[in-house]
Amino acid sequence: MTDALIGKYINGYEILDVVGRGGMATVYRAQQLSMNRVVALKLLPEQFAKDDTYIQRFEQEVEIVSRLEHRNIVPVYDYRQYSGRPYIVMLYMNSGSVDELLRSGPLELDQIVHIYEQIAPALDYAHTRKVLHRDLKPGNVLLDDDGGAYLTDFGIARVLGDQVGPGITTQGVVGTPSYMSPEQAQGQQLDNRSDIYALGVMLFELATGKRPFESDTPYSIAVMQVTTQPPSPRSINPDLSMAVEEVILKSLRKKREERYPHAIGLAEALKRAANLPSGSMHDTQPGGIKIPSRPAPQPLG
């Protein structure tokens, strides 16, 4: 992608190229000169530089990620401004996102399990810190060259119990409709099981190559999340076993109390359904330090 900032220097970072553009930011690959390392630099677009809502969301993402130190959550290195535009500097993930993997069709089941056994403990760890992601989707799971999977983009995350500034939405409809839980689509109070639903939508998509609910408008997709039962994953991908289908459909239950209460439970059920060796995924401590198995975290209220 061409961009006027390519080749320029921003506070000690040389902008090398554009990684991607979203509604809220442009992400660049950059060289941090002081550390001689490649990083990802996420910059607010110029048209939003005077928009308090977008600036506060940037600030909120930095504040939230600073609370989360887990080996499968992308860390933030730096936060500054360039010409009045805030930017975040993060670990650069050189293998792109899970969304890019989906361009070649559904993933192999062992690959899906490998991804989920990494991001599930990371998500439960965030939940123990009272952080709801609220925008889990394949584009927000990044990959490294060694097969590592990392959660990223906490820009619309919510910290339960925190009061945030005006303009930041903590209730109401916010997120990507294709991955919203029914309660999120209705603007209801959320707990961690809303993120579990999004993991279920992702699981459906990774296993079949399609999202469970598709329509012409975001609104109609949100309505389907509330009112329509998902199709059978095996009707799309007949190679899936009934056991795997049951895991997917349980994670997509309309009533939150009927879903898996935590992400590790979903990942372990998927691993059993795939007939892969089961191991402990309770390494949810900062830096991924492994600890003995303990009772699973309870749903956040």
Side-chain angles (χ1 to χ4, degrees):
M1 297 183 187
T2 59
D3 190 285
L5 288 180
I6 294 176
K8 293 188 176 181
Y9 294 84
I10 296 177
N11 297 329
Y13 299 96
E14 180 185 3
I15 305 300
L16 302 177
D17 53 41
V18 177
V19 175
R21 302 182 192 275
M24 182 176 166
T26 300
V27 179
Y28 298 91
R29 186 171 65 93
Q31 182 78 22
Q32 185 179 7
L33 303 179
S34 63
M35 301 291 288
N36 192 30
R37 65 180 173 185
V38 175
V39 297
L41 190 149
K42 181 177 178 180
L43 178 68
L44 186 72
E46 191 169 6
Q47 65 265 32
F48 300 135
K50 298 187 184 301
D51 189 316
D52 288 343
T53 297
Y54 283 91
I55 291 173
Q56 287 176 45
R57 282 185 175 174
F58 251 72
E59 293 172 346
Q60 176 173 296
E61 180 172 2
V62 173
E63 195 278 331
I64 285 176
V65 175
S66 69
R67 303 182 184 201
L68 304 177
E69 297 181 12
H70 191 279
R71 67 181 177 190
N72 293 106
I73 294 177
V74 176
V76 170
Y77 296 145
D78 196 5
Y79 174 62
R80 300 193 197 182
Q81 287 196 358
Y82 168 73
S83 298
R85 298 158 62 188
Y87 66 86
I88 301 170
V89 178
M90 304 173 291
L91 174 68
Y92 177 68
M93 308 300 294
N94 48 6
S95 290
S97 70
V98 171
D99 192 49
E100 293 170 54
L101 290 181
L102 277 167
R103 294 173 187 172
S104 300
L107 277 57
E108 295 294 331
L109 191 55
D110 59 348
Q111 187 177 17
I112 298 172
V113 170
H114 184 60
I115 291 170
Y116 269 61
E117 67 184 358
Q118 295 179 78
I119 64 172
L123 185 60
D124 279 345
Y125 167 78
H127 290 162
T128 65
R129 297 301 187 270
K130 297 189 178 298
V131 173
L132 304 182
H133 191 287
R134 299 201 299 172
D135 199 24
L136 290 169
K137 55 188 177 183
N140 287 339
V141 179
L142 302 184
L143 305 166
D144 65 19
D145 280 343
D146 297 321
Y150 300 74
L151 295 180
T152 191
D153 201 346
F154 286 79
I156 64 167
R158 179 186 175 193
V159 178
L160 291 175
D162 272 16
Q163 298 297 318
V164 295
I168 297 293
T169 304
T170 58
Q171 293 180 330
V173 180
V174 59
T176 305
S178 292
Y179 303 90
M180 282 183 181
S181 66
E183 60 270 22
Q184 188 174 359
Q186 295 178 91
Q188 296 177 356
Q189 197 74 264
L190 305 181
D191 63 21
N192 58 310
R193 292 168 294 184
S194 183
D195 281 346
I196 303 305
Y197 185 93
L199 277 185
V201 176
M202 280 180 49
L203 180 55
F204 188 108
E205 185 174 8
L206 298 186
T208 68
K210 295 182 179 293
R211 298 167 189 165
F213 303 112
E214 296 180 332
S215 189
D216 295 334
T217 67
Y219 175 77
S220 57
I221 294 173
V223 171
M224 292 174 74
Q225 299 284 18
V226 177
T227 63
T228 307
Q229 292 301 320
S232 161
R234 297 180 71 239
S235 69
I236 303 170
N237 182 359
D239 292 335
L240 296 175
S241 68
M242 290 186 66
V244 170
E245 177 170 274
E246 288 174 4
V247 172
I248 297 171
L249 294 179
K250 179 173 179 177
S251 65
L252 291 175
R253 297 278 172 81
K254 301 299 183 185
K255 296 180 179 179
R256 68 182 86 187
E257 60 271 17
E258 296 179 357
R259 300 173 204 147
Y260 294 97
H262 50 87
I264 286 174
L266 189 164
E268 289 179 337
L270 177 63
K271 198 166 188 176
R272 288 192 300 271
N275 292 317
L276 296 173
S278 182
S280 173
M281 284 184 268
H282 293 269
D283 54 332
T284 59
Q285 293 303 292
I289 301 170
K290 292 197 175 185
I291 60 172
S293 295
R294 60 187 178 186
Q298 296 302 305
L300 300 176

